[in-house]
């Protein structure tokens, strides 16, 4: 009986020892760190951190670091949010600053159109230009330089044509006794102040009239068949010409200005 009790007691002691070992192993596994904790522990060791810190302290450190990262992310997001309106504002201001420059081409274009209109006004009409071309064709046959359209000569010729129609006369001299030279110089053509330019000059003026012709070919033929009118059209003394035309009244005003400096 005594031996049975001793055997039973030994069995009980053995079971308790086994349980203690199992409990110790269980406790050991329960206190083992997770992979994340072990990584954090090694990281702290590399950074010369205090390895005596507990797992709880390390977790608290990680949580604090995560919380410290959150404001940084927020600030970055906030920075992006605040940057976008500023960028748009600059775009708006750049559009506003560009707006005045867009008006410049319009103003420049307007000025260019005005200058173009002035140049076109200075040019003879298509019909008058055809008259000048016809005269220059006759000069070309004689190897003479072409005449150039001149606005002052055209003005005097046109005014004389209109005056002859309005006051019903046909002559180089108007009812006021003013002849072609006076009418042409009244426009400023050939008017030079010799003292100001300190020069000498010569002005050559002439005029052809015709009435009743209906085409350019007809009036040119009749002028070429008249010795005085032909001489004027083919004269070497003229460089410029202006045409006056209204209904069947035709006027050619010729001119040339020769200036000698210091003469």
């Amino acid at each position: 009986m005594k031996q049975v009790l001793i055997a039973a007691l030994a069995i009980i002691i053995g079971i308790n020892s086994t349980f203690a070992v199992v409990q110790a192993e269980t406790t050991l596994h329960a206190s083992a760190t997770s992979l994340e904790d072990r990584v954090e522990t090694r990281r702290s060791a590399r950074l010369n951190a205090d390895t005596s810190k507990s797992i709880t302290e390390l977790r608290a450190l990680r949580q604090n670091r995560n919380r410290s990262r959150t404001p940084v992310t927020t600030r970055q997001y906030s920075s992006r949010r605040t940057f976008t309106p500023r960028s748009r504002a600059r775009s708006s201001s750049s559009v506003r600053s560009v707006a005045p420059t867009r008006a410049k081409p319009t103003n420049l274009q307007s000025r260019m159109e005005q200058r173009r209109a002035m140049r076109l006004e200075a040019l003879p009409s298509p019909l008058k230009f055809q008259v000048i071309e016809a005269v220059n064709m006759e000069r070309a046959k004689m190897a003479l330089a072409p005449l150039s359209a001149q606005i002052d000569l055209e003005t005097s010729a046109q005014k004389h044509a209109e005056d002859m129609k309005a006051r019903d006369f046909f002559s180089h001299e108007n009812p006021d006794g003013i002849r072609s030279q006076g009418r042409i110089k009244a426009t400023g053509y050939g008017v030079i102040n010799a003292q100001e330019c300190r020069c000498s000059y010569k002005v050559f003026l002439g005029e052809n009239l015709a009435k009743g012709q209906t085409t350019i070919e007809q009036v040119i033929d009749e002028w070429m068949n008249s010795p005085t009118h032909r001489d004027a059209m083919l004269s070497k003394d003229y460089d410029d010409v202006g045409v006056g035309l209204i209904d069947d009244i035709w006027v050619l005003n010729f001119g040339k200005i020769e200036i000698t400096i210091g003469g």
Side-chain angles (χ1 to χ4, degrees):
M1 184 68 181
K2 185 176 180 179
Q3 293 178 351
V4 172
L5 291 175
I6 293 172
L9 181 60
I11 293 172
I12 293 172
I13 293 172
I15 293 173
N16 289 335
S17 299
T18 303
F19 178 78
V21 171
V22 172
Q23 186 176 8
E25 291 178 354
T26 303
T27 303
L28 177 62
H29 286 292
S31 63
T33 60
S34 63
L35 177 62
E36 182 179 3
D37 293 334
R38 291 197 299 273
V39 171
E40 190 66 35
T41 301
R42 288 193 296 270
R43 180 176 180 277
S44 298
R46 288 195 301 270
L47 296 176
N48 296 324
D50 186 4
T51 56
S52 64
K53 291 183 178 179
S54 65
I55 299 300
T56 303
E57 291 175 346
L58 292 176
R59 287 177 179 175
L61 178 62
R62 182 170 61 252
Q63 291 176 357
N64 291 335
R65 187 170 62 252
N66 292 336
R67 284 196 298 268
S68 65
R69 289 175 180 174
T70 302
V72 174
T73 304
T74 303
R75 286 196 298 272
Q76 291 176 351
Y77 178 75
S78 174
S79 176
R80 289 194 295 269
R81 291 290 299 274
T82 56
F83 175 78
T84 302
R86 289 200 298 271
S87 177
R88 290 178 181 175
R90 286 195 294 270
S91 297
S92 299
S93 64
S94 63
V95 171
R96 289 194 296 269
S97 63
V98 171
T101 60
R102 290 180 180 174
K104 290 182 179 179
T106 303
N107 295 334
L108 177 60
Q109 183 177 2
S110 177
R111 293 194 297 270
M112 291 177 63
E113 289 295 336
Q114 291 178 357
R115 289 194 292 267
R116 180 175 180 273
M118 293 176 63
R119 289 195 300 269
L120 290 177
E121 290 177 358
L123 294 176
S125 65
L127 185 58
K128 292 181 179 180
F129 190 75
Q130 292 177 26
V131 174
I132 296 174
E133 283 189 329
V135 173
N136 285 334
M137 287 181 64
E138 296 298 330
R139 291 177 64 88
K141 294 176 183 178
M142 305 300 297
L144 297 172
L147 301 177
S148 301
Q150 210 281 336
I151 185 61
D152 293 330
L153 294 177
E154 180 181 347
T155 299
S156 63
Q158 184 63 34
K159 286 184 176 180
H160 188 51
E162 293 173 356
D163 188 28
M164 287 191 291
K165 177 179 175 58
R167 296 201 278 181
D168 193 21
F169 73 96
F170 182 72
S171 173
H172 292 287
E173 184 177 337
N174 65 20
D176 300 325
I178 301 175
R179 297 185 63 84
S180 59
Q181 292 186 356
R183 295 192 306 271
I184 293 173
K185 288 184 177 180
T187 65
Y189 185 87
V191 178
I192 300 174
N193 190 324
Q195 293 181 349
E196 291 182 358
C197 72
R198 296 182 180 180
C199 61
S200 61
Y201 64 93
K202 294 181 181 179
V203 179
F204 302 89
L205 302 174
E207 184 175 77
N208 275 5
L209 303 179
K211 184 178 181 180
Q213 295 78 14
T214 58
T215 64
I216 296 175
E217 292 79 5
Q218 183 180 1
V219 71
I220 293 295
D221 287 342
E222 294 191 14
W223 276 334
M224 289 298 292
N225 289 326
S226 170
T228 56
H229 295 89
R230 175 188 172 91
D231 290 343
M233 291 173 58
L234 302 180
S235 175
K236 296 180 181 180
D237 293 333
Y238 301 136
D239 292 335
D240 306 319
V241 66
V243 179
L245 177 60
I246 182 171
D247 295 339
D248 61 345
I249 301 176
W250 309 74
V251 179
L252 291 181
N253 279 172
F254 303 99
K256 180 179 179 179
I257 304 173
E258 288 185 353
I259 298 177
T260 303
I261 303 298

